[in-house]
């Protein structure tokens, strides 16, 4: 395989679409593919001293390298000194930051309304003697419990409630009080929001979702600019072996080329669905950061360049919600979000989110918006009886 040196984007080609299509590609070499295939290797030829970049498959892999450079170019375009590390899943990436930075006696602030697995993380942190404080995402409430914390974990927009906090404000306050800041950027993607530009130390995400967008792989990543902190994250990845397979990494990199197309289409579709739900005669408590009437709109419109593909709303009862989901024809009843095919679920079925029994989280795909809106409104109507 040729040297995977990055192709630099010129000032004439720095738009999000151009960047997504070309991110992380190696310099062109005659007769070699534009994006080299996955490198399957547990070990590499290694005569003499181990001074090269690739020694053993748990440490580095050329396919990871290309993907990591690509994600770094999307998360922090044009910025030197930023490093990205890829992981086997979003939870592996989240765990790497938390457990590499925190020690017994430290305090960490987590969102009380964040991703469903965070309570499991909290239990493990507390078992290690780490103090865990929580506060809601909305209203920048985490500021109230920040004093003395070593790390602030932000999830904005929050999943599944879609509240938004002011990243720049929270990061500034956290740094003034001696805390590092990590932002879960899964729902926004790097094309919708760039946490490092807003002052965060880490941007963390599950690549399982809209980043790759096809629901066919698990992946996570951490991007950061502090070399010491990222070295600790790298060490944690090595210790626990939370590494992605080369095929998953290659598929993820291939999928990045359509990220801008998917984000634009899915965001526009999500807004169309949210507007239709908002106009429905029943009060559904619709949440979508891109709706001007949404409580999060003012902050989201300042710090986000796109509002994501997830819409939430609440039906009166569990039975109504289940009838609604059963009646949908173009929307699959499935968990996760971000795929090109629309999905929805009654989120309360998992038991880990503080949401009403009839709460629906819908991930809006890339279908024709008229078809999606018609399907959702038909299902609402037919499930009402």
């Amino acid at each position: 395989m040729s040297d995977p040196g990055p192709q630099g984007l010129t000032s004439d080609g720095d738009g999000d679409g151009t960047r997504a299509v070309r991110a992380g590609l190696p310099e062109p070499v005659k007769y070699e593919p534009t994006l080299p295939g996955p490198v399957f290797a547990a070990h590499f030829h290694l005569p003499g001293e181990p001074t090269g970049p690739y020694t053993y498959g748990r440490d580095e892999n050329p396919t990871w390298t290309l993907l990591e450079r690509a994600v770094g170019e999307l998360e922090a375009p044009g910025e030197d000194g930023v490093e990205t590390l890829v992981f086997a899943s979003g939870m592996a990436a989240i765990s790497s930051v938390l457990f590499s930075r925190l020690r017994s006696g430290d305090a960490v602030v987590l969102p009380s309304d964040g991703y469903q697995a965070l309570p499991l993380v909290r239990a493990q942190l507390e078992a290690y003697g780490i103090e865990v404080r929580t506060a809601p995402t909305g209203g920048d409430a985490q500021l109230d419990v920040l004093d003395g914390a070593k790390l602030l974990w932000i999830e904005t927009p929050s999943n599944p409630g879609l509240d938004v906090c002011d990243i720049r404000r929270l990061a500034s306050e956290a740094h003034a009080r001696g805390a590092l800041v990590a932002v879960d950027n899964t729902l926004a993607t790097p094309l919708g929001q760039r946490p490092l530009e807003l002052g965060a130390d880490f941007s963390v995400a599950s690549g399982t979702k809209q980043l790759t967008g096809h629901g066919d792989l698990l992946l996570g990543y951490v991007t950061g600019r502090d070399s010491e902190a990222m070295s600790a994250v790298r060490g944690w990845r090595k210790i626990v072996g939370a590494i992605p397979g080369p095929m998953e990494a290659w598929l993820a990199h291939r999928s990045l080329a359509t990220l801008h197309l998917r984000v634009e289409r899915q965001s526009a579709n999500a807004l169309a669905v949210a507007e239709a739900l908002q106009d429905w005669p029943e009060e559904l408590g619709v949440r979508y950061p891109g709706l001007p009437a949404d409580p999060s709109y003012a902050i989201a419109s300042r710090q986000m360049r796109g509002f994501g593909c997830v819409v939430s709303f609440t039906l009166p009862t569990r039975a109504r919600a289940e009838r609604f989901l059963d009646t949908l024809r173009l929307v699959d009843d499935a968990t996760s979000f971000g795929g090109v095919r629309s999905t929805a679920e009654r989120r309360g079925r998992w038991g880990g989110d503080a949401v009403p029994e009839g709460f629906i989280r819908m991930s809006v795909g890339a279908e024709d918006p008229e078809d999606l809106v018609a399907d959702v409104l038909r299902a609402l109507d037919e499930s009402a009886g």
Side-chain angles (χ1 to χ4, degrees):
M1 177 178 169
S2 62
D3 175 60
Q7 291 188 44
L9 291 174
T10 69
S11 59
D12 295 326
D14 57 0
D16 280 347
T18 303
R19 185 175 292 109
V21 167
R22 306 196 67 80
L25 297 181
E27 292 292 345
V29 175
K30 191 173 183 179
Y31 306 127
E32 291 198 7
T34 304
L35 177 63
V39 175
F40 299 99
H43 58 264
F44 302 83
H45 288 295
L46 195 64
E49 294 299 315
T51 56
Y54 304 111
T55 58
Y56 185 63
R58 191 179 64 246
D59 298 329
E60 291 290 350
N61 177 288
T63 309
W64 304 353
T65 299
L66 296 178
L67 175 60
E68 288 170 343
R69 289 176 177 171
V71 172
E73 289 173 20
L74 297 178
E75 282 280 355
E79 185 172 341
D80 295 330
V82 170
E83 182 178 2
T84 296
L85 298 169
V86 291
F87 290 81
S89 68
M91 281 307 302
I94 289 170
S95 300
S96 74
V97 174
L98 292 169
F99 291 104
S100 70
R101 301 309 307 166
L102 298 169
R103 303 288 183 271
S104 179
D106 289 340
V108 60
V109 177
L110 302 179
S112 60
D113 54 348
Y115 179 51
Q116 185 194 48
L118 287 181
L120 300 176
V121 174
R122 175 178 185 165
Q124 191 61 61
L125 289 167
E126 290 176 337
Y128 289 157
I130 297 162
E131 179 189 355
V132 179
R133 307 170 190 167
T134 62
T137 298
D140 297 348
Q142 288 174 297
L143 287 176
D144 296 336
V145 293
L146 188 55
D147 283 347
K150 186 172 181 180
L151 178 67
L152 169 63
W153 191 273
I154 297 170
E155 185 179 300
T156 180
S158 61
N159 172 26
L162 302 180
D163 275 324
V164 170
C165 61
D166 187 333
I167 297 175
R168 194 181 299 278
R169 181 187 179 204
L170 266 66
S172 177
E173 288 282 349
H175 292 154
R177 303 183 203 186
L180 291 172
V181 178
V183 175
D184 187 327
N185 204 35
T186 302
L187 199 147
T189 82
L191 298 193
Q193 180 173 268
R194 293 189 180 125
L196 298 188
E197 290 183 357
L198 297 168
D201 300 288
F202 302 100
S203 182
V204 186
S206 167
T208 307
K209 300 178 174 66
Q210 194 172 21
L211 188 82
T212 55
H214 292 83
D216 55 7
L217 63 90
L218 296 178
L219 194 84
Y221 70 83
V222 178
T223 300
R225 63 164 59 91
D226 183 279
S227 60
E228 185 273 331
M230 290 301 294
S231 178
V233 172
R234 180 185 292 275
W236 183 262
R237 182 178 72 174
K238 178 184 174 89
I239 291 167
V240 301
I243 58 172
M247 190 66 191
E248 286 79 3
W250 184 84
L251 284 169
H253 197 168
R254 182 201 62 171
S255 297
L256 289 183
T258 60
L259 178 61
H260 66 296
L261 298 173
R262 292 184 280 106
V263 164
E264 288 181 5
R265 178 58 175 257
Q266 290 176 252
S267 296
N269 282 0
L271 180 60
V273 168
E275 289 173 339
L277 291 168
Q278 186 177 240
D279 293 339
W280 185 252
E282 293 177 271
E283 174 51 53
L284 300 178
V286 181
R287 294 300 307 272
Y288 182 65
L291 279 175
D294 190 273
S296 294
Y297 179 77
I299 297 174
S301 60
R302 290 199 302 267
Q303 70 186 20
M304 299 182 73
R305 294 166 13 257
F307 299 110
C309 64
V310 177
V311 177
S312 71
F313 56 100
T314 303
L315 294 171
T317 65
R318 170 176 176 168
R320 171 74 184 287
E322 289 174 346
R323 289 197 305 271
F324 168 77
L325 293 169
D326 287 343
T327 306
L328 290 165
R329 296 170 184 164
L330 297 180
V331 183
D332 296 329
D333 190 342
T335 194
S336 197
F337 59 84
V340 292
R341 289 173 289 277
S342 293
T343 61
E345 68 173 336
R346 190 182 67 80
R347 193 62 187 165
R349 66 181 175 174
W350 299 102
D353 296 307
V355 295
E357 284 291 314
F359 181 94
I360 301 291
R361 184 184 72 179
M362 181 175 178
S363 172
V364 182
E367 299 91 349
D368 287 321
E370 299 84 1
D371 294 338
L372 273 179
V373 169
D375 191 40
V376 169
L377 296 184
R378 180 194 53 77
L380 283 173
D381 184 50
E382 293 182 11
S383 64

